[in-house]
Amino acid sequence: MGFSTSAAVAVMLIGFLLAAGVLFPAVFAAGGDTGSAFSAQAEQTRDQINTAIDIVESPDPDADEPTVVASNDGTTTIDVMKVDVLVNGQYVHYDHYATTVVTETGEEDPVEYEETDIWHPGSELEIELDLDGISGVDNEDDIDRVKLVTEYGITASAEYEEGS
Amino acid sequence: MASVSATHLILFIASIVVAAGIAGTLVLEVDNLSGAIETQGSATSTEIETEIDIISDAGQPDSIYDAGDEETDERITLYVKNIGSEHLEAHHSAVDILVNGQYVSSDHTELEHLYADSSSWQTGDVVELTIDLEGANGDIEIDGDTSATVIVNDNEDSIDFHVAGDDGGD
């Protein structure tokens, strides 16, 4: 009986080893995926906290096309392509506005970048709206509210008085 | 070896067979279990990485709620932005919508990708959700304070807005 007991125990031990070899990598992989998901979420939260924008200028009534100016008051760079513009609550497609990033504002020679995606901290973004692309808005006086949304959901909005 | 009797031999073989049966069953079941753990882990990390945001302007409720007239149905239009790190599916069945706490069936919702005609709702993209209230179950009354909730992959965001009733101002 002695030898058969040992042999049975040996077979079962080998079975447990194989099972553990299958189970542990799966558990570690699942734990690792969840951990990196939390870390991605934490990184997003940090970017969100570091982002702040403010609309600084209402559209100039003398300009041909109304321009909204917003400044990046935070400490992270904002991706211009991922900024969304809502006029009177309506989404404006990016084909219907032109963006320019202006730095060194307030000094004599502000530097303007027209083809850039980088809205760095301390600079301003000028958004020139093409009113043909916005339904319900025929001229500048029809603009009541403008809302800007950045990549991580940080927003800024401004109301405009009539006739200003 | 002549002292090993047939009984011992039979018992030995029997115990080995039982042990092998136990070990085999254990390995098979643990294999199933580990597959399930991997699937669950990947589903959990998808849920954690999904983040959506309703960017519709609550200060302009006319742009959200359209009471409709003879030509157009009563509907709610919401702009939803993917602010997480997970790419989502740009199809209306991937989104669950509650209006004033009531579920709206996906037969009455439409989803349109606003950047390009794509089936992938990538991070940073905005989609336009149109909820046809007239077609939906008729119990949803929109008057006064209204709340709409959008749920994707167990992640939700709500927007509250005020709809002027028939008795108030406009």
Side-chain angles (χ1 to χ4, degrees):
Chain A
M1 284 298 287
F3 183 67
S4 65
T5 313
S6 310
V9 168
V11 169
M12 284 200 283
L13 277 176
I14 290 172
F16 284 132
L17 270 175
L18 286 174
V22 168
L23 186 65
F24 283 128
V27 171
F28 287 137
D33 279 348
T34 310
S36 61
F38 279 124
S39 147
Q41 204 184 42
E43 189 194 324
Q44 249 175 58
T45 306
R46 277 198 303 277
D47 280 335
Q48 263 182 349
I49 291 174
N50 287 331
T51 303
I53 60 171
D54 194 24
I55 298 185
V56 294
E57 242 177 69
S58 45
D60 178 7
D62 299 325
D64 293 324
E65 304 205 324
T67 304
V68 179
V69 182
S71 74
N72 181 348
D73 296 331
T75 51
T76 60
T77 301
I78 299 174
D79 186 340
V80 176
M81 269 303 287
K82 297 200 172 157
V83 170
D84 302 303
V85 182
L86 291 166
V87 171
N88 290 353
Q90 277 192 57
Y91 185 81
V92 182
H93 195 270
Y94 60 77
D95 288 339
H96 298 295
Y97 60 82
T99 59
T100 310
V101 175
V102 179
T103 63
E104 295 173 31
T105 55
E107 301 189 26
E108 294 204 356
D109 284 322
V111 183
E112 297 190 1
Y113 301 99
E114 297 206 356
E115 294 292 326
T116 181
D117 252 358
I118 296 177
W119 182 10
H120 49 266
S123 64
E124 290 182 357
L125 182 73
E126 291 180 2
I127 300 173
E128 223 174 275
L129 301 165
D130 173 15
L131 294 178
D132 296 331
I134 312 171
S135 65
V137 175
D138 295 318
N139 59 58
E140 237 176 276
D141 286 337
D142 292 336
I143 299 178
D144 295 326
R145 266 178 80 86
V146 172
K147 180 173 175 181
L148 294 184
V149 186
T150 61
E151 188 177 351
Y152 295 114
I154 304 298
T155 60
S157 63
E159 303 239 353
Y160 297 111
E161 304 285 307
E162 280 191 30
S164 63
Chain B
M1 292 301 282
S3 63
V4 175
S5 67
T7 326
H8 284 179
L9 195 61
I10 290 169
L11 282 173
F12 175 70
I13 292 171
S15 61
I16 293 293
V17 166
V18 168
I22 293 174
T25 307
L26 183 68
V27 171
L28 282 173
E29 290 307 312
V30 167
D31 196 27
N32 283 345
L33 180 66
S34 76
I37 289 175
E38 267 185 64
T39 308
Q40 181 64 35
S42 128
T44 304
S45 71
T46 300
E47 277 179 21
I48 294 171
E49 287 176 349
T50 299
E51 197 85 38
I52 55 162
D53 187 29
I54 299 179
I55 64 171
S56 290
D57 196 350
Q60 290 269 325
D62 301 330
S63 66
I64 303 175
Y65 174 70
D66 182 5
D69 46 31
E70 292 134 14
E71 292 174 26
T72 57
D73 291 335
E74 185 188 5
R75 60 175 184 262
I76 288 181
T77 306
L78 293 173
Y79 299 115
V80 188
K81 185 167 177 133
N82 178 356
I83 58 174
S85 46
E86 180 78 22
H87 295 321
L88 305 168
E89 194 192 331
H91 191 264
H92 64 109
S93 61
V95 191
D96 294 321
I97 299 176
L98 299 171
V99 175
N100 285 343
Q102 286 191 298
Y103 180 75
V104 178
S105 153
S106 60
D107 294 334
H108 303 293
T109 63
E110 272 171 33
L111 188 146
E112 191 190 330
H113 198 290
L114 289 177
Y115 282 16
D117 201 15
S118 154
S119 65
S120 170
W121 184 7
Q122 303 199 334
T123 67
D125 288 354
V126 177
V127 299
E128 182 180 347
L129 272 175
T130 313
I131 305 159
D132 178 12
L133 291 168
E134 229 154 275
N137 100 59
D139 297 334
I140 303 180
E141 290 282 324
I142 306 285
D143 189 23
D145 294 340
T146 309
S147 136
T149 305
V150 176
I151 306 172
V152 177
N153 279 351
D154 230 22
N155 181 270
E156 63 177 63
D157 192 31
S158 309
I159 184 169
D160 297 325
F161 54 96
H162 191 83
V163 171
D166 292 326
D167 51 324
D170 63 87

